[in-house]
Amino acid sequence: MIKLTVNGKTYETDAEPDTPLLWVIREQVGLTGTKYGCGIAQCGSCTVHIDGAAVRSCAIPASAAAGKKITTIEGLASGEVLHKVQQAWLDHDVPQCGYCQAGMIMAVAALLKDKPKPTDADIDATITNICRCGTFQQVREAIHAVAKA
Amino acid sequence: MTTMPKMNRRTFIISTAAIGGGLALGLRLPFGPGVVRAADGSPEVNAWVVIRPDDTVVIRVARSEMGQGTITGLAQLVTEELECDWSKVTTEYPTPGQSVARKRVWGPFSTGGSRGIRTSHDYVRQGGATARLMLIQAAANEWNVPASECSASNSVITHGPSGRTTTYGKVAEAAARLTPPKDVKLKDPKDWKIAGKPVKRLDTLDKLTGKQVFGFDLKLPGMLNAAIKECPVFGGKVKSFDAAKVSGMKGVKKVVQVGDTAVAVVADTWWRAKTALDALPVVWDEGPNAKVSSATIADVLRAGLDAEQAFVGNRSGDARAALSAAAKKVEAVYSYPFQNHACMEPMNATARYTPDKCEVWVPTQDGEGSFAAVLRASGLPAEKCEVYKINLGGGFGRRGAFQDYVTQAVQIAKQLPGTPVKLLWSREEDMAQGRYHPVMQCKLTGGLDADNNLSGLHMRLSGQSILASVRPHILEKQKGRDPATFQGVADSGEHAFGYTIPNLLVDHAMRNTHVPPGFWRGVNINQNCIFLECFMDELAHAAGQDALEFRRKLLGKHPRNLAVLNAVAERAGWGRPAPEGIHRGLAHMKAFNSYVAACVEISVSGGNKVKIHRIVCATDTSYAVNPAQIERQIAGSFVYGLSALFFQECTVKNGRIEQTNFDSYNSMRIAQMPKVESIIMPSGGAVWGGVGEPTICVAAPAVINAFFRATGKRIRSFPLKNHDIELV
Ligand code: FES
Ligand code: FES
């Protein structure tokens, strides 16, 4: 039994407390925008925000997020208005298959919150998500476009 | 080999043709003449085009979207001929069951070999053009005027003399009742307005909000989740497992054997299924392959380098004689490892089985291949089977010819009739049960004459054949030869050798292993381009000549190879001094009917830290349907190919793959991404070239050649991490 606050809503779930947060979000809460890619904190597909910070949700037990504010890709936009990172992704046609992109966008949104005008070095140090389709060139362009706007 | 059924296209057609047409599967097919309707009741003008009353145009796409942009490109081609409003275009997949019921009206579903656009552009444009003529005719009929006085643009039909207008949505119903015209003339690509333009993809928004449902995300009422483990030694079987140990665990519903080779736990959630699976005691009958290792495989391949018997892929003149007469001989042995596709979304499929119906939802590169697997695994006839395609979280060749996960999902669902079961592979399972890039070694021997001209070349391949495992009927026709082994070095065709060398022999000593091979983005051009293009640099070096000049002399009869090579050389500034510390390397090839070349600029620090600053790439794809997407495919292919070059190798120990996840099988990150400059130079002609794969092959050899120039070290085995070379 574990209680989570996701995108402003509270969910009481029957998940075992040591279940990775990723799987509770996907299976008990039922929000599947957050993706599984490795389960061992390598790929970043599962990135969510916990109290505003980017966290790889596959690598922490759900119990560690209880009582905290969790935001997933589904909660990033304000209603119908896309978050500026989502909008830049749309403008720059970033995704290929799209599978990694929720995690990528969540990681970038957190970076831009800390550093609204990141350098290439900031991007390189912070955005370590895997994208097997290889969208990095567009990702970098889109980040700089947001920073300039 | 594993449980993968060997389904070849011939048996599929035979088994499905028997049921004939006229089955209503989702579409509402009329009896006798009449209008075919989409599920929402909108009329089909023809199989490719459905038009809704609000002027929305639904374009049917049979090929699969896995990130490469194919559905957007195909929709552009249909739109171009249809003259409809691009802002009102949406796409839809027909199902394989519908295809069977309608005698494959949409052509092949298979999406591999960079064929999505290049082999279907003609009939999809015909579909668009035919629909346009029918819509115009319907308006003309309504107005009682000759169709020749009417024209269409942006979904509006205008009668020239009177200026009257109507829209596609208004006449679609009447158009759908007309007999389609024959011999429709297509536009000259010079006149394209939507095709050929860098329009935005149609499928982006849902990928940004978490809304897009991947196979992994599917939810069906009453659905259970399955986690699976197949014998890690290929060819091994399940001996026993102790279900009682885990059947009491929370959420667990059933523990099942899957075929001869795997066990699965079915539970209410996947995490509980996986947790129980990890705790399940399983004993494997690993069989004789448990003794195989990378070292034993390498020994077998090495012996093939000098074996008597080999299949000839390309021969002109007398290479052996030329080599023995050569003034200078150069010899080198290269080797290329097994690699996993590591699609971002691991393999998965969802199945629901009852004795009356078997349905499967699956991200697949080949809906018809999936359908064939469902037929076979369910034992049901085609009219009782259906497959619903889902967009893929990456394919790269893993999800086309191989439908092992579909077979497994059906085998599990059969043990829980009526309950939908979603089978998800863990990343570890995905790493252990790949269909791997084949292993290959290559011994190259080149001869230079007294004037340092290349007088002879022998390229002996020794290694695994993909087709021997996947399409053995092709080998039967070729007296045992696998023609695909020679991709990029073949005597003719879409993968023709790019040089003229007076005495040439390319041959293949086939050495198959127990590790199942597969089509891995680019397939055999990956290693063949490294072998050939690195060795050309070795020869140029031995001849004391510039790498570009040495190549140019052999390219007189290959103007399109030469053109792309010249284009990258010129853009990158080959022949002019590079900035301090920067070293350049080149490579080119003809692949999938496109001509591709790359020039890279790297620097090397500390002798082993490689920074790739820039890659200039040129591709002549004959036609460029969406240049923006081609650029993305080029950059993406470099991420895939360079990840392989630097990091990726699947090694074999005790018959199984050692790498288990991205910690032992790394993939490039944004920090390591070079700046990619694309030169898209389509030169037209009757044959269209591919996009998704060709460019992948040129990045690696260009980097290896640049590394030699930077360090004087010639690397001939991969990945580079085995030489302590890092990508920074
Ligand atoms: S799934 Fe969490 S980092 Fe890969
Ligand atoms: S867009 Fe496909 S993995 Fe990143």
Side-chain angles (χ1 to χ4, degrees):
Chain A
M1 175 72 187
I2 187 147
K3 205 159 134 182
L4 294 175
T5 306
V6 185
N7 303 332
K9 255 172 91 178
T10 302
Y11 298 83
E12 305 220 348
T13 79
D14 73 338
E16 294 81 339
D18 62 347
T19 306
L21 177 61
L22 167 66
W23 289 101
V24 181
I25 290 172
R26 288 181 56 84
E27 302 203 288
Q28 274 89 2
V29 174
L31 295 173
T32 55
T34 308
K35 298 295 189 255
Y36 164 82
C38 69
I40 56 166
Q42 286 286 319
C43 74
S45 300
C46 63
T47 306
V48 299
H49 296 172
I50 298 182
D51 291 339
V55 172
R56 293 186 172 175
S57 63
C58 69
I60 64 161
S63 56
K68 301 190 174 159
K69 197 175 143 234
I70 303 165
T71 307
T72 69
I73 188 72
E74 290 91 344
L76 191 63
S78 325
E80 293 297 292
V81 183
L82 293 178
H83 184 276
K84 60 188 178 181
V85 175
Q86 291 168 314
Q87 185 62 48
W89 254 233
L90 191 61
D91 296 343
H92 290 259
D93 232 7
V94 172
Q96 290 188 27
C97 81
Y99 193 82
C100 73
Q101 296 295 338
M104 194 77 82
I105 289 169
M106 295 307 280
V108 170
L111 166 66
L112 289 172
K113 200 153 79 60
D114 292 346
K115 287 196 174 138
K117 302 217 178 294
T119 62
D120 277 331
D122 294 331
I123 294 170
D124 291 349
T126 317
I127 307 303
T128 56
N129 299 44
I130 291 176
C131 172
R132 292 290 289 149
C133 295
T135 59
F136 299 130
Q137 188 144 314
Q138 281 70 40
V139 167
R140 192 185 295 280
E141 273 172 25
I143 295 173
H144 286 312
V146 181
K148 268 196 209 111
Chain B
M1 284 297 302
T2 61
T3 52
M4 189 186 66
K6 294 250 183 4
M7 174 56 70
N8 75 42
R9 190 48 48 86
R10 278 176 312 176
T11 53
F12 171 49
I13 292 167
I14 292 162
S15 63
T16 55
I19 64 157
L23 295 164
L25 295 159
L27 292 174
R28 294 195 242 150
L29 296 183
F31 293 98
V35 177
V36 181
R37 291 183 187 284
D40 69 358
S42 302
E44 227 186 52
V45 181
N46 62 25
W48 302 99
V49 177
V50 170
I51 298 183
R52 296 189 187 136
D54 67 355
D55 288 330
T56 303
V57 174
V58 183
I59 293 174
R60 301 264 179 61
V61 178
R63 311 282 182 168
S64 296
E65 181 58 57
M66 47 192 155
Q68 83 282 36
T70 289
I71 59 172
T72 302
L74 290 170
Q76 282 176 267
L77 289 169
V78 174
T79 298
E80 186 64 54
E81 296 292 342
L82 183 57
E83 294 283 0
C84 65
D85 181 348
W86 178 246
S87 70
K88 297 204 175 101
V89 166
T90 169
T91 62
E92 162 180 295
Y93 288 139
T95 67
Q98 290 164 352
S99 167
V100 167
R102 297 176 70 179
K103 302 184 180 151
R104 301 186 85 211
V105 64
W106 295 285
F109 280 47
S110 171
T111 314
S114 298
R115 276 189 299 266
I117 287 175
R118 71 184 171 110
T119 65
S120 49
H121 63 87
D122 191 67
Y123 57 77
V124 303
R125 285 187 293 157
Q126 292 281 349
T130 305
R132 180 191 75 238
L133 292 176
M134 292 164 79
L135 290 156
I136 291 176
Q137 185 65 56
N141 291 352
E142 198 180 303
W143 293 329
N144 224 343
V145 300
S148 58
E149 291 179 6
C150 302
S151 61
S153 174
N154 246 2
S155 296
V156 176
I157 304 166
T158 305
H159 177 233
S162 68
R164 263 181 301 189
T165 62
T166 187
T167 67
Y168 280 6
K170 295 204 180 84
V171 297
E173 194 67 47
R177 293 173 196 279
L178 298 175
T179 308
K182 290 214 171 68
D183 302 321
V184 178
K185 199 170 166 296
L186 299 180
K187 281 187 190 176
D188 187 322
K190 282 201 280 297
D191 300 325
W192 283 352
K193 293 172 297 193
I194 295 288
K197 299 289 179 285
V199 299
K200 293 267 160 62
R201 295 174 66 115
L202 294 171
D203 54 349
T204 298
L205 186 60
D206 286 354
K207 294 173 180 168
L208 310 176
T209 57
K211 242 194 214 148
Q212 173 161 327
V213 176
F214 290 88
F216 241 71
D217 307 331
L218 199 74
K219 282 178 215 145
L220 294 171
M223 185 180 82
L224 296 176
N225 292 272
I228 194 162
K229 188 177 275 179
E230 189 166 17
C231 182
V233 178
F234 310 105
K237 290 189 167 81
V238 177
K239 195 186 246 169
S240 64
F241 57 95
D242 188 358
K245 276 257 160 50
V246 302
S247 48
M249 288 174 71
K250 190 164 176 189
V252 171
K253 305 287 181 190
K254 200 161 186 162
V255 181
V256 297
Q257 181 163 340
V258 187
D260 293 334
T261 59
V263 289
V265 175
V266 182
D268 56 353
T269 69
W270 185 77
W271 184 255
R272 287 174 180 151
K274 185 199 180 282
T275 305
L277 181 67
D278 288 345
L280 178 69
V282 186
V283 182
W284 305 108
D285 171 7
E286 296 184 350
N289 293 331
K291 292 195 197 75
V292 178
S293 69
S294 286
T296 63
I297 291 172
D299 286 345
V300 171
L301 267 57
R302 203 168 301 118
L305 293 174
D306 297 308
E308 278 294 310
Q309 189 278 332
F311 298 105
V312 174
N314 195 349
R315 173 160 40 199
S316 59
D318 187 340
R320 287 181 209 276
L323 289 171
S324 47
K328 193 188 274 181
K329 232 160 85 167
V330 181
E331 189 180 289
V333 174
Y334 284 75
S335 66
Y336 196 90
F338 289 120
Q339 285 157 341
N340 189 299
H341 298 80
C343 299
M344 206 72 239
E345 178 194 24
M347 298 304 110
N348 66 89
T350 299
R352 177 165 55 204
Y353 172 89
T354 69
D356 289 322
K357 180 102 195 164
C358 186
E359 294 167 288
V360 167
W361 293 257
V362 61
T364 175
Q365 288 177 245
D366 185 2
E368 292 177 325
S370 303
F371 190 73
V374 175
L375 255 65
R376 185 172 276 211
S378 69
L380 296 178
E383 66 269 27
K384 292 186 173 176
C385 294
E386 189 52 292
V387 167
Y388 309 100
K389 297 205 306 176
I390 305 176
N391 285 346
L392 295 71
F396 311 117
R398 176 65 180 89
R399 292 181 149 116
F402 314 102
Q403 299 290 333
D404 40 333
Y405 39 89
V406 167
T407 301
Q408 291 173 346
V410 172
Q411 285 171 335
I412 296 167
K414 272 179 102 166
Q415 302 182 57
L416 293 110
T419 301
V421 182
K422 179 163 80 172
L423 169 67
L424 307 180
W425 285 19
S426 64
R427 175 60 61 194
E428 288 76 11
E429 185 68 6
D430 202 275
M431 288 299 297
Q433 300 297 337
R435 298 292 180 268
Y436 302 87
H437 187 296
V439 278
M440 195 68 74
Q441 294 186 10
C442 183
K443 182 190 235 178
L444 299 113
T445 316
L448 298 169
D449 66 17
D451 297 325
N452 274 324
N453 294 311
L454 181 58
S455 54
L457 175 69
H458 180 200
M459 187 170 169
R460 162 59 65 88
L461 299 160
S462 174
Q464 197 164 18
S465 154
I466 303 172
L467 299 187
S469 163
V470 180
R471 310 243 162 87
H473 59 283
I474 295 180
L475 269 65
E476 272 164 42
K477 276 190 240 149
Q478 297 252 345
K479 298 201 175 78
R481 192 178 83 124
D482 173 356
T485 309
F486 304 103
Q487 283 176 314
V489 293
D491 55 2
S492 60
E494 66 178 45
H495 288 102
F497 193 71
Y499 296 104
T500 303
I501 298 172
N503 300 289
L504 173 71
L505 177 61
V506 184
D507 55 6
H508 173 216
M510 192 183 293
R511 294 292 182 272
N512 294 325
T513 78
H514 81 299
V515 178
F519 304 100
W520 188 101
R521 191 177 191 173
V523 195
N524 291 304
I525 61 173
N526 290 294
Q527 72 273 22
N528 286 343
C529 196
I530 290 178
F531 301 157
L532 178 64
E533 284 295 276
C534 290
F535 194 63
M536 290 309 277
D537 259 43
E538 296 201 48
L539 289 166
H541 185 72
Q545 294 174 28
D546 172 75
L548 176 61
E549 287 314 316
F550 185 79
R551 286 177 169 84
R552 275 182 177 154
K553 287 193 285 183
L554 306 169
L555 287 170
K557 294 199 179 119
H558 306 271
R560 293 174 78 181
N561 287 78
L562 181 62
V564 288
L565 188 62
N566 281 338
V568 297
E570 192 182 316
R571 170 78 67 89
W574 189 273
R576 295 196 296 276
E580 174 78 29
I582 299 286
H583 302 271
R584 297 191 179 118
L586 285 170
H588 72 105
M589 186 156 266
K590 178 185 182 187
F592 303 92
N593 268 334
S594 287
Y595 297 80
V596 295
C599 183
V600 306
E601 293 188 338
I602 71 167
S603 61
V604 182
S605 53
N608 71 334
K609 290 183 185 56
V610 177
K611 174 85 197 157
I612 308 173
H613 298 269
R614 175 190 188 211
I615 307 183
V616 179
C617 177
T619 181
D620 174 359
T621 50
S622 302
Y623 298 90
V625 174
N626 189 323
Q629 290 309 316
I630 295 176
E631 273 179 30
R632 285 160 174 74
Q633 285 305 296
I634 291 172
S637 76
F638 290 167
V639 172
Y640 207 76
L642 293 173
S643 293
L645 173 69
F646 279 88
F647 313 126
Q648 296 177 346
E649 174 182 34
C650 293
T651 52
V652 180
K653 191 177 174 189
N654 299 331
R656 66 199 82 205
I657 298 295
E658 290 188 277
Q659 291 67 25
T660 55
N661 206 318
F662 287 120
D663 53 350
S664 45
Y665 192 78
N666 201 358
S667 192
M668 189 196 271
R669 315 299 160 108
I670 199 168
Q672 297 154 322
M673 178 73 196
K675 184 170 185 308
V676 176
E677 292 173 37
S678 302
I679 305 168
I680 298 164
M681 43 191 287
S683 62
V687 178
W688 292 38
V691 169
E693 293 169 275
T695 53
I696 193 172
C697 70
V698 283
V703 167
I704 302 159
N705 288 338
F707 185 81
F708 174 76
R709 251 169 235 118
T711 63
K713 271 195 214 124
R714 184 47 77 178
I715 306 294
R716 301 191 184 89
S717 67
F718 311 100
L720 297 179
K721 71 165 180 161
N722 293 350
H723 304 272
D724 276 331
I725 297 171
E726 292 171 29
L727 179 61
V728 296

mmCIF file of all heavy atoms in Angstrom, chain B residues 293-321:
data_model
loop_
_atom_site.group_PDB
_atom_site.id
_atom_site.type_symbol
_atom_site.label_atom_id
_atom_site.label_comp_id
_atom_site.label_asym_id
_atom_site.label_seq_id
_atom_site.Cartn_x
_atom_site.Cartn_y
_atom_site.Cartn_z
ATOM 1 N N SER B 293 32.201 -20.446 -27.401
ATOM 2 C CA SER B 293 32.583 -19.132 -26.890
ATOM 3 C C SER B 293 33.022 -18.251 -28.061
ATOM 4 O O SER B 293 33.221 -18.742 -29.178
ATOM 5 C CB SER B 293 33.740 -19.254 -25.904
ATOM 6 O OG SER B 293 34.904 -19.629 -26.611
ATOM 7 N N SER B 294 33.208 -16.968 -27.786
ATOM 8 C CA SER B 294 33.703 -16.067 -28.833
ATOM 9 C C SER B 294 35.006 -16.567 -29.427
ATOM 10 O O SER B 294 35.237 -16.465 -30.631
ATOM 11 C CB SER B 294 33.910 -14.664 -28.259
ATOM 12 O OG SER B 294 32.672 -14.044 -28.054
ATOM 13 N N ALA B 295 35.875 -17.109 -28.554
ATOM 14 C CA ALA B 295 37.176 -17.571 -29.041
ATOM 15 C C ALA B 295 37.023 -18.755 -29.985
ATOM 16 O O ALA B 295 37.696 -18.831 -31.026
ATOM 17 C CB ALA B 295 38.077 -17.940 -27.865
ATOM 18 N N THR B 296 36.109 -19.688 -29.664
ATOM 19 C CA THR B 296 35.961 -20.848 -30.559
ATOM 20 C C THR B 296 35.341 -20.410 -31.883
ATOM 21 O O THR B 296 35.699 -20.925 -32.941
ATOM 22 C CB THR B 296 35.114 -21.972 -29.916
ATOM 23 O OG1 THR B 296 33.779 -21.485 -29.672
ATOM 24 C CG2 THR B 296 35.704 -22.452 -28.612
ATOM 25 N N ILE B 297 34.437 -19.435 -31.817
ATOM 26 C CA ILE B 297 33.841 -18.926 -33.064
ATOM 27 C C ILE B 297 34.912 -18.236 -33.911
ATOM 28 O O ILE B 297 35.003 -18.444 -35.120
ATOM 29 C CB ILE B 297 32.673 -17.963 -32.742
ATOM 30 C CG1 ILE B 297 31.494 -18.744 -32.134
ATOM 31 C CG2 ILE B 297 32.226 -17.215 -33.997
ATOM 32 C CD1 ILE B 297 30.368 -17.873 -31.597
ATOM 33 N N ALA B 298 35.745 -17.428 -33.265
ATOM 34 C CA ALA B 298 36.784 -16.704 -34.009
ATOM 35 C C ALA B 298 37.746 -17.675 -34.694
ATOM 36 O O ALA B 298 38.190 -17.441 -35.816
ATOM 37 C CB ALA B 298 37.551 -15.773 -33.069
ATOM 38 N N ASP B 299 38.047 -18.796 -34.016
ATOM 39 C CA ASP B 299 38.934 -19.803 -34.620
ATOM 40 C C ASP B 299 38.330 -20.371 -35.897
ATOM 41 O O ASP B 299 39.027 -20.567 -36.895
ATOM 42 C CB ASP B 299 39.179 -20.956 -33.636
ATOM 43 C CG ASP B 299 40.117 -20.542 -32.510
ATOM 44 O OD1 ASP B 299 40.777 -19.486 -32.663
ATOM 45 O OD2 ASP B 299 40.171 -21.261 -31.487
ATOM 46 N N VAL B 300 37.027 -20.652 -35.829
ATOM 47 C CA VAL B 300 36.350 -21.222 -36.997
ATOM 48 C C VAL B 300 36.398 -20.233 -38.167
ATOM 49 O O VAL B 300 36.687 -20.600 -39.309
ATOM 50 C CB VAL B 300 34.888 -21.572 -36.637
ATOM 51 C CG1 VAL B 300 34.094 -21.947 -37.883
ATOM 52 C CG2 VAL B 300 34.844 -22.692 -35.607
ATOM 53 N N LEU B 301 36.150 -18.972 -37.862
ATOM 54 C CA LEU B 301 36.179 -17.953 -38.923
ATOM 55 C C LEU B 301 37.588 -17.784 -39.493
ATOM 56 O O LEU B 301 37.781 -17.636 -40.691
ATOM 57 C CB LEU B 301 35.662 -16.604 -38.392
ATOM 58 C CG LEU B 301 34.159 -16.320 -38.590
ATOM 59 C CD1 LEU B 301 33.292 -17.402 -37.969
ATOM 60 C CD2 LEU B 301 33.786 -14.945 -38.062
ATOM 61 N N ARG B 302 38.565 -17.791 -38.592
ATOM 62 C CA ARG B 302 39.939 -17.588 -39.034
ATOM 63 C C ARG B 302 40.352 -18.667 -40.038
ATOM 64 O O ARG B 302 40.981 -18.386 -41.054
ATOM 65 C CB ARG B 302 40.883 -17.583 -37.817
ATOM 66 C CG ARG B 302 42.184 -16.849 -38.073
ATOM 67 C CD ARG B 302 42.973 -16.593 -36.798
ATOM 68 N NE ARG B 302 42.236 -15.800 -35.822
ATOM 69 C CZ ARG B 302 41.882 -16.210 -34.611
ATOM 70 N NH1 ARG B 302 42.207 -17.415 -34.187
ATOM 71 N NH2 ARG B 302 41.215 -15.408 -33.789
ATOM 72 N N ALA B 303 39.921 -19.906 -39.762
ATOM 73 C CA ALA B 303 40.253 -20.999 -40.680
ATOM 74 C C ALA B 303 39.645 -20.754 -42.056
ATOM 75 O O ALA B 303 40.208 -21.146 -43.085
ATOM 76 C CB ALA B 303 39.774 -22.326 -40.103
ATOM 77 N N GLY B 304 38.504 -20.087 -42.074
ATOM 78 C CA GLY B 304 37.837 -19.812 -43.352
ATOM 79 C C GLY B 304 38.584 -18.810 -44.220
ATOM 80 O O GLY B 304 38.381 -18.769 -45.440
ATOM 81 N N LEU B 305 39.449 -18.034 -43.622
ATOM 82 C CA LEU B 305 40.152 -16.998 -44.390
ATOM 83 C C LEU B 305 41.058 -17.599 -45.465
ATOM 84 O O LEU B 305 41.347 -16.956 -46.467
ATOM 85 C CB LEU B 305 40.985 -16.102 -43.455
ATOM 86 C CG LEU B 305 40.176 -15.224 -42.491
ATOM 87 C CD1 LEU B 305 41.113 -14.508 -41.523
ATOM 88 C CD2 LEU B 305 39.323 -14.219 -43.258
ATOM 89 N N ASP B 306 41.517 -18.835 -45.223
ATOM 90 C CA ASP B 306 42.399 -19.474 -46.200
ATOM 91 C C ASP B 306 41.795 -20.763 -46.757
ATOM 92 O O ASP B 306 42.490 -21.556 -47.381
ATOM 93 C CB ASP B 306 43.761 -19.778 -45.550
ATOM 94 C CG ASP B 306 44.464 -18.505 -45.113
ATOM 95 O OD1 ASP B 306 44.585 -17.597 -45.965
ATOM 96 O OD2 ASP B 306 44.849 -18.401 -43.931
ATOM 97 N N ALA B 307 40.502 -20.965 -46.528
ATOM 98 C CA ALA B 307 39.877 -22.213 -46.969
ATOM 99 C C ALA B 307 39.823 -22.281 -48.487
ATOM 100 O O ALA B 307 39.761 -21.264 -49.166
ATOM 101 C CB ALA B 307 38.469 -22.319 -46.388
ATOM 102 N N GLU B 308 39.856 -23.513 -48.997
ATOM 103 C CA GLU B 308 39.746 -23.729 -50.448
ATOM 104 C C GLU B 308 38.391 -23.263 -50.968
ATOM 105 O O GLU B 308 38.300 -22.471 -51.896
ATOM 106 C CB GLU B 308 39.858 -25.245 -50.751
ATOM 107 C CG GLU B 308 41.263 -25.776 -50.803
ATOM 108 C CD GLU B 308 42.056 -25.207 -51.974
ATOM 109 O OE1 GLU B 308 41.538 -25.247 -53.110
ATOM 110 O OE2 GLU B 308 43.171 -24.686 -51.744
ATOM 111 N N GLN B 309 37.349 -23.819 -50.327
ATOM 112 C CA GLN B 309 36.004 -23.567 -50.856
ATOM 113 C C GLN B 309 35.486 -22.211 -50.399
ATOM 114 O O GLN B 309 35.574 -21.872 -49.214
ATOM 115 C CB GLN B 309 35.056 -24.684 -50.379
ATOM 116 C CG GLN B 309 33.674 -24.687 -51.023
ATOM 117 C CD GLN B 309 32.702 -23.704 -50.377
ATOM 118 O OE1 GLN B 309 32.805 -23.375 -49.204
ATOM 119 N NE2 GLN B 309 31.751 -23.219 -51.157
ATOM 120 N N ALA B 310 34.961 -21.436 -51.348
ATOM 121 C CA ALA B 310 34.315 -20.171 -50.999
ATOM 122 C C ALA B 310 33.366 -19.797 -52.121
ATOM 123 O O ALA B 310 33.591 -20.143 -53.278
ATOM 124 C CB ALA B 310 35.360 -19.077 -50.798
ATOM 125 N N PHE B 311 32.286 -19.099 -51.750
ATOM 126 C CA PHE B 311 31.311 -18.661 -52.749
ATOM 127 C C PHE B 311 31.779 -17.337 -53.360
ATOM 128 O O PHE B 311 32.144 -16.415 -52.630
ATOM 129 C CB PHE B 311 29.937 -18.463 -52.104
ATOM 130 C CG PHE B 311 29.374 -19.726 -51.525
ATOM 131 C CD1 PHE B 311 29.362 -19.937 -50.146
ATOM 132 C CD2 PHE B 311 28.864 -20.712 -52.361
ATOM 133 C CE1 PHE B 311 28.845 -21.106 -49.612
ATOM 134 C CE2 PHE B 311 28.341 -21.885 -51.830
ATOM 135 C CZ PHE B 311 28.335 -22.090 -50.447
ATOM 136 N N VAL B 312 31.733 -17.280 -54.656
ATOM 137 C CA VAL B 312 32.219 -16.075 -55.335
ATOM 138 C C VAL B 312 31.104 -15.038 -55.433
ATOM 139 O O VAL B 312 29.994 -15.335 -55.868
ATOM 140 C CB VAL B 312 32.753 -16.418 -56.742
ATOM 141 C CG1 VAL B 312 33.132 -15.146 -57.499
ATOM 142 C CG2 VAL B 312 33.949 -17.352 -56.620
ATOM 143 N N GLY B 313 31.433 -13.822 -55.022
ATOM 144 C CA GLY B 313 30.446 -12.752 -55.097
ATOM 145 C C GLY B 313 30.752 -11.754 -56.193
ATOM 146 O O GLY B 313 29.854 -11.077 -56.688
ATOM 147 N N ASN B 314 32.013 -11.667 -56.572
ATOM 148 C CA ASN B 314 32.397 -10.651 -57.542
ATOM 149 C C ASN B 314 33.756 -11.056 -58.099
ATOM 150 O O ASN B 314 34.698 -11.260 -57.323
ATOM 151 C CB ASN B 314 32.474 -9.284 -56.837
ATOM 152 C CG ASN B 314 32.506 -8.126 -57.818
ATOM 153 O OD1 ASN B 314 32.665 -8.325 -59.028
ATOM 154 N ND2 ASN B 314 32.349 -6.925 -57.297
ATOM 155 N N ARG B 315 33.827 -11.193 -59.417
ATOM 156 C CA ARG B 315 35.102 -11.611 -59.997
ATOM 157 C C ARG B 315 35.307 -10.917 -61.341
ATOM 158 O O ARG B 315 34.407 -10.859 -62.147
ATOM 159 C CB ARG B 315 35.137 -13.129 -60.191
ATOM 160 C CG ARG B 315 36.394 -13.569 -60.945
ATOM 161 C CD ARG B 315 36.743 -15.029 -60.775
ATOM 162 N NE ARG B 315 35.599 -15.918 -60.796
ATOM 163 C CZ ARG B 315 35.636 -17.163 -60.313
ATOM 164 N NH1 ARG B 315 36.718 -17.638 -59.771
ATOM 165 N NH2 ARG B 315 34.557 -17.913 -60.377
ATOM 166 N N SER B 316 36.482 -10.374 -61.533
ATOM 167 C CA SER B 316 36.864 -9.927 -62.872
ATOM 168 C C SER B 316 38.362 -10.135 -63.000
ATOM 169 O O SER B 316 39.102 -10.041 -62.012
ATOM 170 C CB SER B 316 36.483 -8.466 -63.099
ATOM 171 O OG SER B 316 37.119 -7.656 -62.144
ATOM 172 N N GLY B 317 38.811 -10.446 -64.226
ATOM 173 C CA GLY B 317 40.227 -10.710 -64.440
ATOM 174 C C GLY B 317 40.695 -11.901 -63.619
ATOM 175 O O GLY B 317 39.917 -12.809 -63.335
ATOM 176 N N ASP B 318 41.936 -11.882 -63.220
ATOM 177 C CA ASP B 318 42.523 -12.973 -62.443
ATOM 178 C C ASP B 318 43.286 -12.389 -61.261
ATOM 179 O O ASP B 318 44.449 -12.009 -61.368
ATOM 180 C CB ASP B 318 43.451 -13.808 -63.354
ATOM 181 C CG ASP B 318 43.964 -15.057 -62.631
ATOM 182 O OD1 ASP B 318 43.932 -15.081 -61.365
ATOM 183 O OD2 ASP B 318 44.407 -15.989 -63.316
ATOM 184 N N ALA B 319 42.593 -12.293 -60.149
ATOM 185 C CA ALA B 319 43.162 -11.614 -58.986
ATOM 186 C C ALA B 319 44.400 -12.348 -58.466
ATOM 187 O O ALA B 319 45.409 -11.720 -58.126
ATOM 188 C CB ALA B 319 42.122 -11.474 -57.891
ATOM 189 N N ARG B 320 44.338 -13.667 -58.410
ATOM 190 C CA ARG B 320 45.475 -14.413 -57.844
ATOM 191 C C ARG B 320 46.738 -14.212 -58.685
ATOM 192 O O ARG B 320 47.833 -13.988 -58.131
ATOM 193 C CB ARG B 320 45.130 -15.897 -57.733
ATOM 194 C CG ARG B 320 44.139 -16.177 -56.612
ATOM 195 C CD ARG B 320 43.835 -17.671 -56.506
ATOM 196 N NE ARG B 320 42.480 -17.906 -55.994
ATOM 197 C CZ ARG B 320 42.160 -17.920 -54.698
ATOM 198 N NH1 ARG B 320 43.093 -17.719 -53.786
ATOM 199 N NH2 ARG B 320 40.918 -18.145 -54.315
ATOM 200 N N ALA B 321 46.558 -14.271 -59.999
ATOM 201 C CA ALA B 321 47.717 -14.062 -60.874
ATOM 202 C C ALA B 321 48.259 -12.644 -60.714
ATOM 203 O O ALA B 321 49.480 -12.432 -60.626
ATOM 204 C CB ALA B 321 47.318 -14.319 -62.337
#
